[in-house]
Amino acid sequence: MIGGFSLGADDRERVSPGPRSSRFAILDGLDAAGRDDLLAEIDALLCRRVRDIRLRGRLRDIYRAASWPHRSRTIRFWLLWVSVFSAVTCLLDYVMQPALLGVSLVFRGVFIPVVYAALAWFWSRPRAPVIEGLTLPLTVGAMMVVAEILGNAGGGDLHERYLMAGLFATSTAIVVFPLDQRWTIAGTVVVIGLFLAFGLTNADVETKVPILETIFFTFVIGCLVPARQAMNTVLEHAYVLSLRTRIQAEALAAANARLAILADTDGLTGLPNRRAFQARLARDWAEQAARSGRVGAILIDVDHFKRFNDSAGHAAGDRCLVAVAEAIRAAVPGTALAARYGGEEFVALVPGTAPRALADIAERIRAGVTALALPHPGLPEGRCVTVSVGVALAVADGEIAGAEALLQGTDAALYEAKARGRDRVVALWTMPSANGDVRAA
C-alpha cells in the first residue's frame, strides 16, 4: 500500500505469479534479503556441470523437505505392490513344490507384507535422514532372508533360484528408492553380501559358483548405483532450477505490483492519480449499473491557490496540497476513493450513496480543510486556506457517457460554488438549472 492506495483485484491478478506450491513453501519465511542470498547460492550451484551438482547445507534441507511427498509416494507404492506380489507368488511356490505352501504363506503371505507395511508407515511422515535411509537395507534384507528360507526349504536347484529371484526383486528397490547415494550403496552391499553368504551355505553347488555369481551380479547391480545417483542429480537440478525461476518470478511480480501502484499514485500527495480515478469510476459505474445503483462524485478545488503559490512559493504550495489531501482522505469513507484530479483539484468517488449522505461527506471535506487553519499568504491577513466543493449524483445506466456526464455535473456545481463566494459546498441538484431529480446534468 502506498499513500493509502492499494491495487484492485484486476491489478493483483495481473501481477500475481500464481498459487504457491508446497514445493516452494520455504519462500514464505524469507524476506527480500533472504531470497537474494538463496538466489545467489542457487546461481553459484548452477554454474557447475549438471553431473557435478551436489546439494549441501540449506539447499539440501530445502530439497529434502520439498521432495518428501514425491519420495514418500514412490517408496510406499513400491512396498505396497511388492507386498501384493509376494502374497500372490505363494501360488507359484505351490506349483513348483506343494510342500513349500506352508512356509510360503508364512513368509511371503504374512512376514513380507507385515514388514513392508511397517516400513511404509515410517514413510507416512517425514523422518530423520538416517531413519529414511535405513528403510532400503531393511527392505532388501527382509526379501533376501525370505528367499534364503524358501530356498533352504526347497533344497537343490530351488535354493539358487530363490536367491536369484530375491536378488532381482531387491535390485528394483535399489534403483526405485529415491535416497542419497550412501544409502543406495548400503542397500547394494546388503543384497550382494547376503546373496554370497546364503549361496555359500548351499551344499549342492561348488563354492566357486556362488563366488563367481556374486562377482557377476556385483557388476550388474553395481551399475544401478550410479543410475540412481544420476536420477537424483537430475531431480535436484530440476528442483533448483524451478526454485530459482520461482524466486525470480515472485521478485518480478513484486516489482510489477510496485510499478502498478506507482503508476496509479500521485507522487506528491500519495493519493491515487487521475488515471486511477478514471479506472475506478469505470469499474464502479459498471457495478452500480448492474444493480441500478447510484454513483456520487465530489470535486474539490483549493481556493485562490495561484495566489498562494505566487506569494509563498511552490515548495509551500506543495506542502499545502499535501495537508489538504490528508484532510480529504480523512473525511471520505472507506468505500470511497479520494484522488488528486490535477493541479489544485481533488475528486472523491462515492458509489452506492444517497444525496444527503453525499452532501454530508462533501461538507466534512470542506470543514476538514478549514480546520487545518493554514494561513493563506496571498489573501488579507487572517485568511486561511479553504476549498470550494461541487457535488453530483447519477443513477448508473451502463453507458460510459453517463459517467462523463457525472463529472461534468460536479464541474458545474464547483463553478457555482466559486460563483457564490467560495469556501462552500454546492450540490448539482440544488442548482436552479437542475431538472430536480438526483441525476447529473
Side-chain angles (χ1 to χ4, degrees):
M1 179 173 290
I2 297 180
F5 176 58
S6 60
L7 285 174
D10 294 340
D11 296 320
R12 287 192 298 268
E13 182 177 352
R14 184 171 64 251
V15 301
S16 172
R20 189 191 303 285
S21 164
S22 60
R23 285 163 44 83
F24 306 107
I26 180 65
L27 299 181
D28 291 331
L30 297 179
D31 56 13
R35 292 181 182 219
D36 290 342
D37 290 343
L38 182 60
L39 188 59
E41 188 176 345
I42 291 173
D43 288 337
L45 181 69
L46 293 178
C47 288
R48 307 174 187 174
R49 295 178 299 181
V50 174
R51 66 183 184 185
D52 294 332
I53 288 179
R54 297 291 184 272
L55 300 186
R56 293 182 175 84
R58 175 172 60 168
L59 276 178
R60 180 183 59 194
D61 295 338
I62 291 173
Y63 174 74
R64 282 185 54 81
S67 65
W68 184 86
H70 165 72
R71 293 185 293 116
S72 172
R73 285 193 302 269
T74 300
I75 292 174
R76 284 186 292 155
F77 183 83
W78 189 94
L79 292 170
L80 169 65
W81 281 108
V82 170
S83 297
V84 172
F85 179 77
S86 178
V88 171
T89 51
C90 291
L91 297 176
L92 297 179
D93 293 334
Y94 175 74
V95 171
M96 286 191 298
Q97 193 172 112
L100 287 177
L101 181 60
V103 178
S104 180
L105 287 174
V106 171
F107 289 96
R108 285 194 189 275
V110 177
F111 178 76
I112 286 294
V114 169
V115 171
Y116 282 8
L119 294 174
W121 176 80
F122 276 109
W123 280 95
S124 62
R125 63 181 179 87
R127 308 278 180 177
V130 172
I131 295 178
E132 292 181 357
L134 282 173
T135 56
L136 179 57
L138 291 175
T139 296
V140 299
M143 180 68 72
M144 291 303 296
V145 168
V146 170
E148 166 65 9
I149 292 173
L150 290 171
N152 270 336
D157 293 340
L158 285 180
H159 187 272
E160 187 176 4
R161 292 177 188 175
Y162 274 111
L163 287 181
M164 287 189 178
L167 186 70
F168 283 112
T170 53
S171 66
T172 64
I174 292 172
V175 75
V176 168
F177 278 34
L179 299 172
D180 292 341
Q181 186 177 31
R182 56 177 175 166
W183 294 112
T184 304
I185 294 175
T188 303
V189 170
V190 169
V191 169
I192 296 299
L194 290 178
F195 179 81
L196 175 60
F198 294 151
L200 291 174
T201 63
N202 187 2
D204 295 331
V205 297
E206 297 181 35
T207 302
K208 66 178 182 180
V209 173
I211 295 176
L212 293 175
E213 289 177 342
T214 299
I215 295 173
F216 172 76
F217 287 122
T218 297
F219 283 105
V220 173
I221 298 180
C223 293
L224 301 180
V225 176
R228 177 66 257 179
Q229 180 58 33
M231 285 190 286
N232 288 345
T233 300
V234 169
L235 291 173
E236 292 170 359
H237 179 256
Y239 176 75
V240 171
L241 279 176
S242 63
L243 183 60
R244 181 178 68 172
T245 300
R246 186 71 183 203
I247 294 173
Q248 293 172 335
E250 292 193 358
L252 179 60
N256 287 339
R258 290 192 294 270
L259 288 174
I261 294 175
L262 291 173
D264 288 343
T265 303
D266 176 59
L268 175 64
T269 64
L271 289 177
N273 57 21
R274 186 166 184 165
R275 174 181 179 273
F277 170 78
Q278 294 288 358
R280 173 69 179 270
L281 174 60
R283 186 164 64 248
D284 284 354
W285 190 262
E287 290 177 356
Q288 293 300 319
R291 59 174 71 101
S292 299
R294 293 176 289 193
V295 177
I298 303 171
L299 190 60
I300 307 109
D301 185 82
V302 180
D303 295 328
H304 301 297
F305 187 70
K306 185 177 184 303
R307 294 187 191 178
F308 190 105
N309 264 346
D310 292 342
S311 301
H314 290 286
D318 287 347
R319 290 192 293 271
C320 172
L321 291 177
V322 171
V324 170
E326 288 300 321
I328 295 172
R329 194 202 314 271
V332 299
T335 56
L337 175 75
R340 186 180 181 189
Y341 203 57
E344 69 272 22
E345 284 189 334
F346 298 86
V347 65
L349 187 66
V350 188
T353 188
R356 178 62 180 273
L358 187 62
D360 288 344
I361 295 171
E363 178 57 31
R364 286 203 304 271
I365 291 173
R366 187 204 64 79
V369 174
T370 301
L372 294 174
L374 294 174
H376 196 307
L379 297 178
E381 187 174 354
R383 297 284 297 276
C384 294
V385 173
T386 60
V387 292
S388 298
V389 185
V391 183
L393 183 70
V395 176
D397 55 11
E399 298 293 333
I400 194 61
E404 295 171 356
L406 172 65
L407 296 180
Q408 293 172 4
T410 58
D411 198 49
L414 176 61
Y415 275 103
E416 180 67 18
K418 289 182 174 294
R420 294 182 187 182
R422 294 183 170 83
D423 189 21
R424 67 191 65 237
V425 174
V426 172
L428 182 65
W429 57 86
T430 65
M431 293 169 54
S433 60
N435 59 11
D437 63 7
V438 289
R439 294 184 60 83

